[in-house]
Amino acid sequence: MENSQTLISKMTLEEKASLCSGLGFWHTKGIERLGIPSIMLTDGPHGLRKQIGDSDLVELEDSVPATCFPTASTQAATWNRELIFMVGKALGEECRQEKVGVILGPGANIKRTPLCGRNFEYFSEDPFLSGEMAKSHIQGVQSQEVGTSLKHYAVNNQEYRRMTIDVIVDQRALHEIYLAGFEIAVKGAQPWTVMCAYNKVNGTYCCEHPYLLEETLKEEWGYEGLVVTDWGAMNERIDALKVGLELEMPGVDNGNTEKLIAAVQSGDLEEALLDKAVERILDMIFKAHKTLEEDYIYDAEAHHALARDVAAEGAVLLKNDANALPIKKNTRIALLGAFAKAPRYQGAGSSTMNPPRLDNLYDEMVHIAGQENITYAPGYSPKGTTHDKSLIDKAVEISKQADIVVINVGLPDIFEVEGLDRTHLQLPESLNKLIAAVAAVHSKVVVVLSNGSPVEMPWVDNVQAILEGYLGGQAGAGGVADIIFGITNPSGKLAETFPIKLEDTPSYHHYPGGPKTVEYRESLYVGYRFYDKVEKEVLFPFGHGLSYTNFEYGDLHLSQEKMTGQESLTVTFTVKNTGNNTGKEVVQLYVSPQAPTVFRPTKELKGFEKLDLQPGDEKTISMTLSPRAFAFYNTGIHDWQVESGSYRILVGASSRDIRLEAEVTIASTQDGVSIPDRDRHPVYINFPSNGRVSQEDFQAIIGHKLPSNELIEGETCTLNTPIADMQHSLIGRMLRKQINKQIQTIVKTDPDSPNALMMKSMINEMPLRTLLMFGSELNRGMLEGLLMMINGKFFKGLSLLLKSRNK
Ligand code: BGC
């Protein structure tokens, strides 16, 4: 096979330009005369969603059966790099069997708010954990010579207006929180592709962001793969190519290929730049093609078993008073909850996949404990959303006859949907009422939760045990049952804080923003960084999770007590299993700067390991902290800096269960470097406990005035205006109707499904230009004509529309 450069030298300008966008929704283009194959890219991230039908359609509910692993929330709660690598490897094997060249994932966006509708697809509120999980996932998939797509780069932390929202974020938070996880994954695993997000960051769309794509991803981090748009995220094609966005997806007839050709011909775009983009695309195509030439069959049983192990390791035992769990043999159990028979196991949207089998908690518990020991009642309606007192009464009745009650509740599927954020953190009233009613008559109540993101628990003090099972995938029920009966010792730990109530969350006052911008006024104080800084009580802290055994920590030793800011520090300590059961422990290492002159979180996660220990066993753990573990991002020099001073080294079983402490003193060689005042802003040094930050204070750290967030009456609409913001005009209203019709012919989904909800919100929020993604009735000229009409130039617009109609 010729190498990419030789091939490029044989390609026409038209061929090169055409290769920079896909063939329909899920393929790259091929060029037969040059032997360039077409390969498939399709969704993950927790399983392969390869649609069965026509590839020009988006068939959300009709895909080739494939293993549904637990979603990223669950995976992250394992804190187990090897296990996540194994999941990635299994995904890679399934891609090989199905001839898929790139699986779209993992998602490494930070959980800025528990309300984000896609949190189930993301790992953590912490960039280090998120980055390490993403890295392992990528390494696993790519060990099979199949590609990944690290997404959504960057700062895509909400679904509300995700396609147009302009995220206003300061440079410290951008680097220390929102980019840090991507950096770990890119440098550590070189994903074949990185997917740019839909949104804008500080005024520029991610697809054409010179700072994010060119300067940071490619130049600073040394990224070698290619950048692909999120589906429909392309704004200005030429600008995007110039800063390193190689591949536009999906590939549709939207005039962008012609624009690339014209730009080269006019000299606006250097052909060498186009060649570079094509080279990266060809390299990816040929790598994938080479793998897929060979047939492969994966072991579905082994993948199911792996999915079960991951679900068990990702389940977090939040509370276990008087050792209510595990349940012993021959105990009379009342099992309640419609989800115990019809499980919640994944979220809705592009990641929805089609598992070949789906275990449920009822069958799994019966299988282990025997039918004779289990009585069942649903307790609430199948979807969990409507209240039915008779179902609760029946559940209470059978609970009274049992030694222990297990109640499976969680978020109904319409609460966890791509494209839609939640508006509150509550479970449906009927589920809370069920728990309260049962807890009032029984003193041994275990709540098993099925949800991808935190919920409020008004009943927390009235039940004896809580097991957060997250969204466990096709074998999740088995993993949870194993924990309930002590076959598996729980070892999951929270990768996110569970707040007591929504009002406590750091971005409460500054989310979701809109219609134009969202201001990240809390800056670095995301997740535990906020709760720790303002010393706020939480329901369950970051890193928390109980076990059926006990671990003792000891013998903390630092490789040095004094060092320069250029050296690494090795931290050594021991952990011993002092209980009676074999168990795994996640040991966490935090760094806490003692008197920084800049604003900083109280402590930050900088290391973790997962250990497996037999009763009585002791292990010595060694972790190395590089200078970066002590550094902050100096916005004056645009680089990392370590300040002189003392740093506490904290080793713990959770962010609020620190077992060992030591101190290292750093005499930094960087002390002469000047630090801008904005990095030392007093409001951010003593952060307000209600999380409310004034416009002036936020402006001080971003270094400029905030852009307007208002829709101005009579403001000119553009191709980037969301359809929802054109409803003042008759043409805008007609357009919405037209889009609705058009999308329904392209995106196939059951009208009553959560995916249909996603489509509804998408139609409202999509900018006009994305219409071209959905087919051919309209072209760019017609859209521009329509825009003129919306903007009041009716006749001029109409004439353009008519002129463009037959082009
Ligand atoms: C989602 C991506 C997904 C893509 C293709 C987009 O709407 O944001 O995560 O990979 O669609 O389905």
Side-chain angles (χ1 to χ4, degrees), residues 160-447:
Y160 175 67
R161 291 192 176 238
R162 67 172 166 155
M163 291 186 136
T164 50
I165 201 89
D166 184 4
V167 177
I168 310 298
V169 58
D170 68 283
Q171 290 295 311
R172 294 276 312 274
L174 181 64
H175 285 272
E176 295 181 31
I177 306 292
Y178 296 101
L179 296 184
F182 283 94
E183 181 180 357
I184 291 169
V186 166
K187 287 182 172 167
Q190 287 289 348
W192 286 14
T193 79
V194 167
M195 185 191 290
C196 82
Y198 287 122
N199 49 284
K200 290 181 183 174
V201 175
N202 293 330
T204 307
Y205 278 106
C206 288
C207 71
E208 59 202 31
H209 210 296
Y211 185 68
L212 287 178
L213 296 185
E214 194 174 20
E215 288 175 49
T216 306
L217 178 67
K218 293 206 171 152
E219 285 168 17
E220 198 187 315
W221 300 347
Y223 178 54
E224 294 158 7
L226 72 83
V227 184
V228 57
T229 56
D230 196 343
W231 268 228
M234 180 59 82
N235 182 41
E236 286 300 335
R237 188 49 178 118
I238 310 303
D239 293 349
L241 193 114
K242 281 183 179 169
V243 300
L245 185 303
E246 285 92 4
L247 182 62
E248 175 180 0
M249 288 302 287
V252 283
D253 196 7
N254 59 6
N256 281 342
T257 303
E258 294 72 18
K259 273 193 183 175
L260 284 174
I261 296 168
V264 171
Q265 284 166 342
S266 71
D268 179 30
L269 176 68
E270 274 178 58
E271 190 157 0
L273 265 188
L274 179 62
D275 289 355
K276 258 206 209 152
V278 173
E279 188 178 342
R280 287 193 187 222
I281 294 171
L282 285 178
D283 287 348
M284 192 262 300
I285 291 177
F286 283 115
K287 267 200 288 189
H289 181 68
K290 190 162 160 248
T291 310
L292 304 180
E293 266 178 336
E294 253 178 59
D295 290 340
Y296 188 88
I297 303 284
Y298 68 84
D299 180 345
E301 276 306 310
H303 288 190
H304 185 80
L306 174 63
R308 182 173 180 139
D309 288 349
V310 177
E313 252 195 77
V316 184
L317 184 60
L318 295 174
K319 171 175 177 167
N320 195 20
D321 284 358
N323 295 333
L325 287 178
I327 300 177
K328 297 194 185 57
K329 273 214 165 120
N330 297 325
T331 304
R332 287 174 308 153
I333 305 164
L335 173 61
L336 310 177
F339 293 160
K341 287 204 171 175
R344 275 295 329 283
Y345 65 103
Q346 65 174 340
S350 58
S351 69
T352 312
M353 45 153 324
N354 176 19
R357 64 183 265 200
L358 179 57
D359 297 346
N360 71 59
L361 192 58
Y362 175 80
D363 289 345
E364 294 300 318
M365 284 179 63
V366 164
H367 183 70
I368 297 170
Q371 182 84 63
E372 64 286 3
N373 289 315
I374 297 185
T375 47
Y376 170 79
Y380 51 86
S381 63
K383 292 263 174 199
T385 40
T386 49
H387 183 57
D388 186 339
K389 188 170 172 304
S390 66
L391 290 175
I392 295 184
D393 291 346
K394 176 85 181 93
V396 168
E397 204 182 297
I398 71 160
S399 299
K400 287 183 188 158
Q401 318 302 320
D403 302 321
I404 190 165
V405 189
V406 176
I407 314 181
N408 186 192
V409 293
L411 286 172
D413 54 7
I414 50 166
F415 284 44
E416 297 190 281
V417 181
E418 175 179 337
L420 273 184
D421 291 338
R422 278 189 289 169
T423 52
H424 59 76
L425 295 183
Q426 290 150 25
L427 290 174
E429 205 194 337
S430 58
L431 308 195
N432 282 334
K433 281 197 165 147
L434 170 68
I435 298 171
V438 173
V441 299
H442 209 290
S443 58
K444 237 185 188 185
V445 178
V446 177
V447 172

Side-chain angles (χ1 to χ4, degrees), residues 26 43 49 104 118 121 151-152 162 195 198 230-231 350 418:
W26 310 114
D43 272 309
R49 182 174 73 84
L104 306 174
R118 253 184 133 169
E121 270 190 80
K151 64 190 188 181
H152 308 89
R162 67 172 166 155
M195 185 191 290
Y198 287 122
D230 196 343
W231 268 228
S350 58
E418 175 179 337

Side-chain angles (χ1 to χ4, degrees), residues 689-763:
S689 63
N690 63 7
R692 214 186 264 276
V693 174
S694 75
Q695 178 170 331
E696 291 67 39
D697 292 326
F698 186 50
Q699 284 183 165
I701 66 160
I702 60 173
H704 56 81
K705 271 195 147 339
L706 283 167
S708 155
N709 187 21
E710 311 247 309
L711 282 182
I712 301 156
E713 236 197 84
E715 189 177 357
T716 313
C717 293
T718 70
L719 286 177
N720 283 327
T721 306
I723 317 286
D725 298 345
M726 298 175 174
Q727 296 309 296
H728 56 280
S729 127
L730 174 68
I731 306 290
R733 294 196 292 275
M734 282 164 60
L735 250 181
R736 173 146 69 181
K737 265 202 190 141
Q738 165 71 16
I739 294 166
N740 236 318
K741 246 182 31 207
Q742 201 158 337
I743 291 188
Q744 271 160 23
T745 61
I746 306 283
V747 182
K748 301 284 179 205
T749 178
D750 164 5
D752 297 323
S753 68
N755 284 329
L757 268 184
M758 171 180 90
M759 291 320 300
K760 235 192 233 157
S761 93
M762 199 169 139
I763 289 163

